[in-house]
Amino acid sequence: MSLEKKIDNFIEKLKNFDKTSIKRKIFNPYAEYDENDISPLAPLIRCANLKNFLLSNSDADYILIAESPSSGARYTGIAMTSEKVIEKYDLKNLSYTSFNQKKTRKGEITASKVWEQISKSKNKFVLWNSFAFNIVENDKHWFENPEKKEVELNIDLLKDFMDMFPKAKIVAVGKTAQNALNMLNIKDFECVRHPSNDFKNEFKEQFKKYL
């Protein structure tokens, strides 16, 4: 099966994920939209973004796996990638979906720090999360750290993602990703600190080996 077909199948699984299996409220950016989105076409745009990004990095050297999406993938469909990242690094074939994107691109600390390092590298990366969807509190606040049970219910998607890039080396970004890979009995992977609360710049130093 071609990579494009695998990606199409993967995106269909994302779109059709059964939210009723998760106790907390989640937002599926590949199937849903709300008043914060540019139009009802926003989910289709995010699906197209993900497909274009993965195809353009079909020969990826590394898979970076983090926790769960916040305002980055919420509006781009790509883990650890915000609208500000798309603009700053002129990422081709990717579009914006936030309502106010013409005035202000949506940003995210993790996305900014991850792409600051990726932009320095000669290697290619694909990015994903242990849990694929936004976890919502009171319709406003976004959790970034999924619970163990939520990761377990999402583990097939993580496995499918890694299976699309069998030659890429795996890097866990944070302990949640490390635990998710342990659930799959993956032995051959490396770990770096998650950059969201990295006040000592450990992530930056640890990431140098992948540049």
Side-chain angles (χ1 to χ4, degrees), residues 94-113:
L94 302 181
S95 301
Y96 310 105
T97 69
S98 66
F99 181 77
N100 290 319
Q101 50 85 21
K102 291 184 178 180
K103 295 181 179 179
T104 305
R105 313 295 192 203
K106 292 289 186 180
E108 177 192 319
I109 293 175
T110 295
S112 296
K113 290 187 176 182

Side-chain angles (χ1 to χ4, degrees), residues 65 151-152 155-156 158-159 162-163 170 176-189:
I65 300 171
V151 173
E152 289 175 345
I155 205 71
D156 288 344
L158 176 58
K159 183 178 185 303
M162 292 189 296
D163 286 346
I170 302 169
T176 298
Q178 182 179 352
N179 292 337
L181 292 168
N182 287 335
M183 288 181 195
L184 287 169
N185 293 315
I186 304 295
K187 305 298 182 184
D188 188 16
F189 69 91

Side-chain angles (χ1 to χ4, degrees), residues 47-145:
C47 288
N49 279 352
L50 179 59
K51 180 175 180 176
N52 290 336
F53 175 72
L54 296 181
L55 283 176
S56 66
N57 292 283
S58 60
D59 55 344
D61 301 287
Y62 293 99
I63 301 172
L64 300 187
I65 300 171
E67 296 177 344
S68 65
S70 57
S71 57
R74 163 66 178 84
Y75 294 104
T76 67
I78 303 166
M80 295 176 278
T81 305
S82 66
E83 290 183 327
K84 285 188 176 180
V85 161
I86 290 177
E87 181 179 47
K88 181 175 181 178
Y89 298 105
D90 192 24
L91 302 183
K92 304 299 184 182
N93 299 318
L94 302 181
S95 301
Y96 310 105
T97 69
S98 66
F99 181 77
N100 290 319
Q101 50 85 21
K102 291 184 178 180
K103 295 181 179 179
T104 305
R105 313 295 192 203
K106 292 289 186 180
E108 177 192 319
I109 293 175
T110 295
S112 296
K113 290 187 176 182
V114 167
W115 276 94
E116 181 182 4
Q117 300 310 310
I118 288 178
S119 68
K120 300 175 183 177
S121 180
K122 297 178 181 178
N123 295 311
K124 287 189 175 183
F125 298 80
V126 286
L127 317 175
W128 197 240
N129 284 304
S130 306
F131 187 76
F133 311 104
N134 296 99
I135 304 169
V136 186
E137 178 186 18
N138 299 327
D139 296 322
K140 294 181 180 180
H141 302 289
W142 305 85
F143 286 102
E144 292 188 26
N145 197 14

Side-chain angles (χ1 to χ4, degrees), residues 31-47:
E32 299 178 72
Y33 68 93
D34 61 20
E35 68 278 2
N36 298 304
D37 288 307
I38 190 171
S39 78
L41 296 177
L44 295 177
I45 296 171
R46 291 189 280 263
C47 288

